[in-house]
Amino acid sequence: MKYSPIQNYINGQFIDAATDQTLAVISPVDGTLLSTVPLSTAHDLDTAVKAAKAAFPAWSRTTIKERVQVFFRYKALLEKNINELAALVQEENGKTYDEAVAEIEKGAELAEFACSLPQIVTGEILEVSRGVECRTEHVPLGVVASIVPFNFPSMVPNWTIPNAIALGNCMIIKPSEKVPLSVGRLAELLQEAGLPKGVFNVVHGDREIVEAICDHPGIEAVSFVGSTKIAKAVYKRATSNYKRCLALGGAKNHLIVLPDAIPGMTAQNITASMAGCAGQRCMAASAMVAVGPVDHIIEKLCEEAQKMVPGKNLGAVINRASKDRIERYITEAESQGAKVLVDGRNPTVEGKEEGTYVGPTVIDYVRPDMAIAQEEIFGPVISIMRTNTVDEALAIENANPYGNAASVFTQNGGMARYVIDKASAGMVGVNVGVPVPREPFSFGGWNDSRFGVGDITGKSSIEFWTKLKKSTTKWNPEAGINWMS
Ligand code: NAD
């Protein structure tokens, strides 16, 4: 085993979970056994909540200007340690080294946004009457929890850590049991950056610990990022316990391609979107809706897709179960009449035979009623559906229950605006394969891709991680003035 067994991080210390139950952590890159992760219990969570609760009074009383100093240093530490952090992400998640570097850079950018919070979280003063003012302040909630998925072991935790903590909360994070290593390193860096003990805690595990988080009376808010099925369950359970909850779910993102789209640029964007991070992004292009005669663009798309080489510029998918599931979808679509133009099933990656790779896959003539057209695939696969009009394409996009992202490729501004208006997705791109720009972006989808109110990053996150205190003060002691006038 490459690393020692993983421990929880509670009250500034790495400690063993109160359980003997563990899972193996296997690298998708080449099948190496990296470590074991404990399946912590409600007892471990309770220890973490107690530590976070104890840290909250002092941390929340610290001014926001002081709190963000930790994140200036944290950002610098992410940048200083970028190579080592990226190598760890690559090892446990299977994405390429360059993708892992980009993930750490994005984390640093998220920390940078948190550093700007003192300028943004200013509250308001309303003059509500003569001599009377009403002041609104954002105050922290208390102990909050963040439950994260496997596909971004470092970036998704950083969607929540800097903002929630800079806003004065104390946090418990539950990493994905498939990629539990990176968050441990983030805990060390936060400590090095000067975060007081107990403000940030890590409790590892799977279903049991997630349910315990939803049930624990000491936790005020739960953010969740993962698949729709679990997002729904977490949202239901956390809110039924009267907690605030924002649960981001899965996705099925449609790219609508019109005949006037620039072929090379469109093909490159679609390939990068469907194959980046081996298609394991909630913003990945999964369906292309071809409107009218776009065969020349599909031809270019196949050329671009074939440049993605597993084990080189195309990473592994998370595990064997995932690889088998993705390949089953391709085989099923083929047997139902779809045409596999580029086939990524069972690639050989020399020297990494135990790695779990799927090659780039382009499938044409997929029908909207096929499973591959309807369900999240989470692999480097794009299904092409043919339509004659933009309205037919939008009908396919709208009928899908998810709503994270949609894009249109065209040179016609009016048509682009039409798609922006009609697409049923929270994040819409025009000639952009992954419509997530840099911070300060408010990241969040619609429909079955998000449960709860607001988005997880940017200004929207301020509303989630704080509550408003409204104070009304009267400084006009003169008699006879009706202060409600
Ligand atoms: P997942 O839903 O399997 O797991 C997410 C978290 O839930 C993990 O921490 C896991 O331990 C926990 N969990 C798993 N099973 C559980 C259960 N039965 N009860 C309670 N908790 C449970 O998701 P994943 O496979 O780790 O990540 C991939 C999914 O995440 C994809 O669907 C992807 O689209 C989605 N995702 C969405 C966004 C977004 O912003 N919408 C971002 C990243 C990933």
Side-chain angles (χ1 to χ4, degrees):
M1 191 160 86
K2 182 163 178 186
Y3 301 107
S4 51
I6 291 167
Q7 295 175 297
N8 290 332
Y9 175 80
I10 297 176
N11 210 22
Q13 282 188 318
F14 286 95
I15 58 166
D16 285 332
T19 176
D20 292 335
Q21 287 202 359
T22 59
L23 293 176
V25 183
I26 311 269
S27 174
V29 174
D30 56 8
T32 302
L33 174 63
L34 297 175
S35 183
T36 56
V37 61
L39 295 179
S40 306
T41 62
H43 172 78
D44 298 300
L45 177 71
D46 194 51
T47 311
V49 174
K50 284 196 175 105
K53 251 187 173 338
F56 181 67
W59 181 245
S60 57
R61 274 199 304 270
T62 309
T63 67
I64 191 166
K65 292 279 274 189
E66 290 169 284
R67 290 196 299 257
V68 300
Q69 297 314 310
V70 171
F71 290 98
F72 278 108
R73 294 189 290 269
Y74 176 64
K75 174 181 185 284
L77 286 168
L78 289 173
E79 287 162 347
K80 183 177 155 200
N81 294 288
I82 192 160
N83 294 335
E84 173 231 326
L85 294 167
L88 197 55
V89 164
Q90 181 186 25
E91 207 168 32
E92 64 176 343
N93 170 276
K95 61 182 67 177
T96 69
Y97 182 72
D98 288 350
E99 288 166 346
V101 166
E103 169 163 357
I104 308 300
E105 284 171 349
K106 186 71 191 174
E109 204 188 333
L110 289 154
E112 183 182 297
F113 175 77
C115 294
S116 71
L117 284 171
Q119 276 62 251
I120 303 173
V121 190
T122 49
E124 281 185 315
I125 294 182
L126 312 172
E127 190 183 309
V128 289
S129 180
R130 230 173 315 151
V132 179
E133 66 178 38
C134 180
R135 181 177 152 158
T136 59
E137 296 166 73
H138 290 269
V139 299
L141 303 174
V143 179
V144 299
S146 174
I147 302 160
V148 291
F150 78 78
N151 62 330
F152 285 95
S154 189
M155 184 195 78
V156 171
N158 278 322
W159 277 357
T160 58
I161 298 168
N163 289 348
I165 293 179
L167 289 165
N169 299 291
C170 293
M171 175 177 273
I172 292 157
I173 195 162
K174 206 298 281 174
S176 163
E177 67 282 12
K178 295 176 188 135
V179 294
L181 290 156
S182 291
V183 172
R185 274 299 285 140
L186 299 185
E188 287 171 344
L189 296 183
L190 285 163
Q191 192 172 54
E192 197 179 333
L195 193 69
K197 62 180 190 175
V199 176
F200 179 69
N201 306 277
V202 185
V203 180
H204 292 281
D206 59 7
R207 180 179 183 157
E208 183 178 343
I209 205 75
V210 170
E211 291 179 350
I213 286 171
C214 294
D215 294 345
H216 199 295
I219 294 176
E220 304 296 329
V222 177
S223 83
F224 172 90
V225 181
S227 61
T228 290
K229 183 171 161 231
I230 314 296
K232 278 184 178 172
V234 166
Y235 185 78
K236 198 169 176 185
R237 191 155 178 153
T239 54
S240 75
N241 284 313
Y242 310 109
K243 294 184 200 313
R244 194 178 280 203
C245 184
L246 178 61
L248 302 190
K252 183 81 189 174
N253 306 314
H254 291 69
L255 306 185
I256 297 175
V257 178
L258 303 185
D260 70 342
I262 299 172
M265 185 268 289
T266 302
Q268 280 163 11
N269 267 269
I270 297 175
T271 304
S273 180
M274 71 99 157
C277 296
Q280 297 178 125
R281 285 187 291 192
C282 63
M283 296 296 280
S286 179
M288 168 179 159
V289 193
V291 182
V294 297
D295 290 275
H296 60 297
I297 299 175
I298 293 172
E299 219 168 275
K300 279 240 172 313
L301 170 62
C302 292
E303 280 169 29
E304 287 299 325
Q306 275 158 336
K307 293 180 190 164
M308 304 301 297
V309 182
K312 291 202 170 79
N313 57 354
L314 177 59
V317 298
I318 190 67
N319 54 28
R320 185 140 311 265
S322 187
K323 173 182 160 65
D324 292 346
R325 188 182 47 77
I326 295 163
E327 293 183 347
R328 263 200 312 275
Y329 274 114
I330 302 168
T331 304
E332 185 188 276
E334 191 177 38
S335 72
Q336 292 170 347
K339 192 168 168 200
V340 181
L341 303 179
V342 180
D343 191 349
R345 283 170 287 187
N346 292 315
T348 318
V349 181
E350 224 169 283
K352 291 174 183 157
E353 285 73 15
E354 295 305 310
T356 44
Y357 296 87
V358 178
T361 302
V362 180
I363 313 178
D364 203 354
Y365 298 105
V366 169
R367 289 190 314 273
D369 62 326
M370 293 180 183
I372 202 165
Q374 294 184 351
E375 294 165 23
E376 183 174 38
I377 310 299
F378 232 48
V381 179
I382 190 133
S383 303
I384 303 173
M385 286 172 273
R386 304 273 187 155
T387 64
N388 293 317
T389 66
V390 167
D391 285 327
E392 281 173 55
L394 282 164
I396 292 173
E397 191 278 336
N398 285 188
N400 195 271
Y402 296 103
N404 233 26
S407 281
V408 58
F409 287 82
T410 180
Q411 288 303 295
N412 181 329
M415 200 51 100
R417 184 66 240 180
Y418 186 75
V419 173
I420 292 173
D421 289 343
K422 303 277 180 189
S424 183
M427 296 170 275
V428 185
V430 175
N431 298 318
V432 173
V434 181
V436 188
R438 301 174 66 87
E439 297 306 298
F441 183 67
S442 197
F443 188 100
W446 288 1
N447 312 330
D448 277 3
S449 294
R450 196 239 2 226
F451 304 92
V453 176
D455 293 331
I456 201 159
T457 62
K459 279 190 189 172
S460 190
S461 70
I462 298 165
E463 304 309 320
F464 185 70
W465 295 120
T466 61
K467 53 192 175 190
L468 279 185
K469 177 162 277 183
K470 288 76 61 179
S471 51
T472 304
T473 53
K474 178 157 98 70
W475 295 105
N476 56 336
E478 308 92 342
I481 295 181
N482 176 1
W483 75 279
M484 296 294 274
S485 65

